[in-house]
Every structure is written in C-alpha cells, then in structure tokens.
Amino acid sequence: MTTDTLVHHTATDSRHWSDEEYAVRLDLSRAYQLAARLKFTDHIYTHFSVRVPGKEEHFLINPYGLLFGEITPHNLIKIDIRGNIIDDPTGLGINQAGYVIHAAIHEARPDLKAILHTHTRDGVAVSAQREGLLPISQHALGFYSRITYHDYEGIALDMDEQQRLVRDLADSDVMILRNHGLLAAGSNIAQAFRNLHMLERACNIQIAALAGGRQNILLAPQEAIDKVSEQSSRFRDGNDPVTLKHWQALVRTLPAEISG
C-alpha cells in the first residue's frame, strides 16, 4: 500500500458503526490532529485511545506507523482489552507499548474513556526532574494536588507492568511517567485533551522558569495550592462548560472537513 492509501483507506464500512462510535472516532481523530498542530508528537511512537461505546470492552488506537496528522476516523484500529485486533483497516498493527499502557487503564478504570500519552520535550524533561511538577504556576496548581507518578521500568512491553501502572495512577486522571512522558485521561476526549493541554503548558512554564536557576523559583503558598485544587475540581467532570468550551475552541482551529 502507498502512504496515501494507508491514510485514506476506508475498508471498514462506516455504516456498520453506531452514531456513538462514529462520534468518538471523530473526536479521537481530532485529538490526534490537534496534537500534531500543537507539536505534542514524537514521530510515530506515542498513542491516544478512546473506549468504544457499547457492552464490549473495545477501544480505538492509532495504527503503528502513521503520524498523528495522518489519523482519520476511518483508519483507527479497534482492539479489545486482551489485545485482539477487531478491525485494522491499514494492516499496520499497533504499538505494543501503547496496548500495555492503554489496556491496563481502560480495564481498571472504566470511568476514564479517553487516555492520551505523550513524549513531549518539556513533559519528558519534567518527568526526569527529581521534584516532578512544581507548584510554581497557576497551570501547575490545577494538577499539583492530584498528579501521580510511575517509575520508569524500560519500554512498556511487559504485561506485568500493567498492575503497577494502575496502582500508581490510583484514582487520578493525570500521571507523570518518570523518565518517559505524560499521561492524561478523562471521561471523554474533551476532558482528557484539556488535561493534557494544561499539563503540557505547566511543564513548558516549569522548564522556562528553571532556566533561571532553582534558587530563583518561587513556590506557591500552601493555602493557594489548596484553593486552586478546590477551584479546579470541577474540571474532573467531562461535561463542565469550560472544558467543553476549551475543546470546541481547539476544534475550530482545524480545517472544516475535520472540525465539522
């Protein structure tokens, strides 16, 4: 197959999808397109997923070999929790590390429908810093009291790492994978992408601030940390009006054929 064929392949007849499945396919492809535009990418090596509505434990993820900007509703791969491929229009298969991470969380946390994982420069840089995310910006304070950490174990290819990923995520929806990158999740794509967007921004600010030296960093007072934690709690609802406005504003930046 040519690259163009892989990107535009539509062997899966969309008439076989429910309206609900098509809606999540469209939103997931939009998330990939937005991540490409925002440069939240690491060539072909990271992955976003969303659970398919319905009784079956199926989720959608990117074909291993396409760039984020090449993802469409039609070339997403559907797999089950056990890693069985239900539909692969491109024949490219999936990134095993993507399966290990996403299947673990989809199975253990059915409340988290969407899971986004990145290897951005600043996200990985913060993941490598001993203190992790610092309470130095309003962006960071929205996550500071609820972010969790998972220690690096190598490329996530071993199935037994799944239990530790789930343990370390606990009841949170944002996690820093040490020496690796960021993970943001949500009850829908809009919420997961807002978490990722704001967490990435917090990491950008931290790396810029630390360029002036650790001794110049001003940590937020505990009372402010606690206050922003409380104020930000509403964003854990995927249907919060601000979350939806955030997502809709991002989608409007996409070409009309993608933004709808």
Side-chain angles (χ1 to χ4, degrees):
M1 284 188 180
T2 66
T3 301
D4 186 68
T5 302
L6 290 172
V7 174
H8 299 289
H9 190 76
T10 56
T12 300
D13 190 338
S14 60
R15 290 175 300 180
H16 294 166
W17 301 332
S18 65
D19 290 345
E20 293 79 11
E21 178 170 345
Y22 183 73
V24 297
R25 282 177 173 271
L26 183 59
D27 271 353
L28 183 57
S29 64
R30 287 167 170 169
Y32 277 110
Q33 295 287 334
L34 287 165
R37 285 170 168 255
L38 293 167
K39 302 189 186 303
F40 292 175
T41 57
D42 184 18
H43 197 51
I44 63 172
Y45 298 107
T46 51
H47 17 80
F48 296 173
S49 71
V50 68
R51 183 181 283 266
V52 177
K55 292 183 298 183
E56 299 88 355
E57 291 188 309
H58 295 165
F59 63 94
L60 302 167
I61 198 164
N62 51 321
Y64 193 18
L66 295 188
L67 299 170
F68 277 21
E70 296 178 308
I71 301 300
T72 72
H74 293 88
N75 59 27
L76 290 162
I77 295 179
K78 184 190 293 188
I79 63 176
D80 68 16
I81 292 295
R82 301 302 161 209
N84 300 304
I85 291 179
I86 308 303
D87 181 50
D88 179 3
T90 65
L92 289 171
I94 61 171
N95 182 334
Q96 176 65 13
Y99 166 72
V100 169
I101 294 169
H102 292 256
I105 298 170
H106 280 302
E107 182 172 26
R109 293 284 306 278
D111 57 311
L112 299 178
K113 310 297 186 190
I115 302 163
L116 316 180
H117 169 51
T118 59
H119 299 164
T120 57
R121 183 192 65 178
D122 291 348
V124 176
V126 170
S127 81
Q129 292 176 343
R130 190 176 303 277
E131 295 175 284
L133 188 69
L134 295 170
I136 61 173
S137 69
Q138 184 164 274
H139 290 76
L141 295 188
F143 300 105
Y144 184 72
S145 298
R146 77 176 201 260
I147 199 158
T148 61
Y149 295 84
H150 174 67
D151 287 340
Y152 189 62
E153 299 185 20
I155 298 172
L157 300 176
D158 299 329
M159 296 299 292
D160 66 353
E161 187 176 353
Q162 289 187 315
Q163 60 186 318
R164 292 182 291 279
L165 278 162
V166 169
R167 176 200 65 197
D168 293 340
L169 180 62
D171 64 352
S172 184
D173 55 3
V174 283
M175 184 162 68
I176 290 178
L177 307 177
R178 292 287 193 182
N179 311 102
H180 185 173
L182 306 179
L183 186 144
S187 62
N188 54 30
I189 291 287
Q191 184 188 24
F193 205 92
R194 185 187 184 281
N195 280 339
L196 180 65
H197 198 186
M198 294 295 97
L199 182 56
E200 176 65 26
R201 187 66 173 152
C203 291
N204 298 155
I205 293 166
Q206 179 164 321
I207 295 304
L210 285 172
R214 182 66 172 83
Q215 69 277 13
N216 293 319
I217 294 294
L218 178 65
L219 301 180
Q222 188 60 49
E223 56 268 30
I225 294 173
D226 295 340
K227 182 177 181 179
V228 176
S229 176
E230 175 60 29
Q231 291 171 325
S232 300
S233 62
R234 64 176 174 154
F235 297 125
R236 299 191 76 172
D237 176 0
N239 294 311
D240 167 73
V242 174
T243 296
L244 296 178
K245 287 179 179 180
H246 186 111
W247 174 247
Q248 290 159 2
L250 284 168
V251 168
R252 288 195 301 274
T253 69
L254 294 171
E257 63 270 20
I258 303 170
S259 67

